[in-house]
Amino acid sequence: MPPEAEAGDGGAEDIRTVILMRHGETDWNRQRRVMGTLDIPLNETGREQCASAAMLLADFGVTRVVTSPLERAADSASRIASRLGVMVDEDPDLEEVRFGHWQGLSYEEIVSHEDYRAFAADPTRNPTPGGETIVQVQGRGLEAVGRARPGERVVFVSHGDIIRAILSHYLAVPLDEFRRIRVDNCGLSAITSRRGRAEVKFVNLLADPDRVWEPLHWSRKVSAPTS
């Protein structure tokens, strides 16, 4: 990316900065249950994660927060915005994947479902029972973050799989491999763009970095956070 303040090119006013944050932890994360579009509240750990993330963001120059309307994301966004002294907008395009009849089930329960096996094998062509492929999820996520305006530094509070899909685009990761990208609760990832050129600044930055060593959340052998 060119220097940010090159003479005569508008400098930092041309730059859009998108910070992606996954919502804080819920009890269903720890229970490894699929939330999808169900409204599940933050637990105490999730509220503490939001407070820590807000402290980390305090020096980032955030100008606005945009959130998924689902409760766990909207509450996370409100806590962040209150600490940063900025406004919050909602965008339904940031909602979690529509998982249909998988919602409420544990990952152990859905792995034997034929439609889950098809989605896991090729998420770009096979939709969830809620009717979405990961291509469609990525598309609405990119639409949402694309609405950031020049000169803004916006935190978008969303959900695990949609954040992975957005990052896959900017990292040029094949979309069928989107789950290779680690996205923890309240993990922060940043992208700057200018004149159509984008740069990923960091991925899954945590205020409490020891969490990155926890087992992968979709492992069937351990209890760890899920989307």
Side-chain angles (χ1 to χ4, degrees):
M1 177 174 287
E4 293 190 357
E6 217 170 279
D9 63 2
E13 292 180 358
D14 290 338
I15 299 171
R16 306 173 195 221
T17 301
V18 167
I19 301 170
L20 305 171
M21 190 186 96
R22 186 181 175 193
H23 61 82
E25 185 183 283
T26 72
D27 286 343
W28 280 30
N29 285 138
R30 282 291 160 192
Q31 296 166 14
R32 292 171 40 77
R33 295 173 68 186
V34 180
M35 289 181 280
T37 56
L38 298 178
D39 263 332
I40 310 300
L42 299 177
N43 60 22
E44 182 58 32
T45 297
R47 293 188 285 272
E48 291 172 357
Q49 290 168 347
C50 290
S52 296
M55 292 178 64
L56 190 60
L57 287 164
D59 294 326
F60 279 30
V62 172
T63 56
R64 188 162 59 101
V65 175
V66 181
T67 184
S68 154
L70 295 175
E71 180 179 352
R72 58 193 181 274
D75 189 13
S76 298
S78 177
R79 292 170 185 276
I80 294 292
S82 177
R83 181 65 179 261
L84 301 179
V86 298
M87 64 178 293
V88 181
D89 296 321
E90 287 191 358
D91 190 333
D93 281 340
L94 293 171
E95 279 192 355
E96 177 61 296
V97 181
R98 300 173 184 108
F99 286 122
H101 65 250
W102 298 344
Q103 295 182 164
L105 301 179
S106 70
Y107 276 81
E108 287 77 11
E109 290 172 320
I110 68 171
V111 291
S112 61
H113 290 201
E114 183 177 348
D115 49 11
Y116 177 79
R117 292 198 300 269
F119 179 75
D122 188 352
T124 64
R125 296 186 181 183
N126 297 313
T128 66
E132 286 192 298
T133 66
I134 202 64
V135 175
Q136 292 169 313
V137 172
Q138 184 190 64
R140 60 181 172 85
L142 292 174
E143 286 284 335
V145 300
R147 288 190 274 272
R149 298 181 289 270
E152 284 196 310
R153 185 166 291 179
V154 187
V155 176
F156 289 88
V157 182
S158 189
H159 306 268
D161 281 346
I162 189 168
I163 291 174
R164 292 183 187 95
I166 293 169
L167 288 171
S168 292
H169 170 79
Y170 288 106
L171 291 168
V173 171
L175 193 49
D176 58 355
E177 299 289 349
F178 78 109
R179 280 193 173 272
R180 288 180 179 268
I181 301 173
R182 175 87 177 219
V183 178
D184 288 291
N185 293 109
C186 284
L188 303 170
S189 302
I191 304 139
T192 59
S193 61
R194 186 185 189 200
R195 297 184 177 181
R197 298 183 62 184
E199 180 178 76
V200 177
K201 296 293 189 182
F202 51 81
V203 173
N204 201 38
L205 180 66
L206 294 172
D208 50 340
D210 287 347
R211 277 196 290 135
V212 302
W213 303 112
E214 292 186 1
L216 296 175
H217 79 277
W218 58 86
S219 167
R220 299 181 65 187
K221 297 179 181 179
V222 296
S223 295
T226 60
S227 296

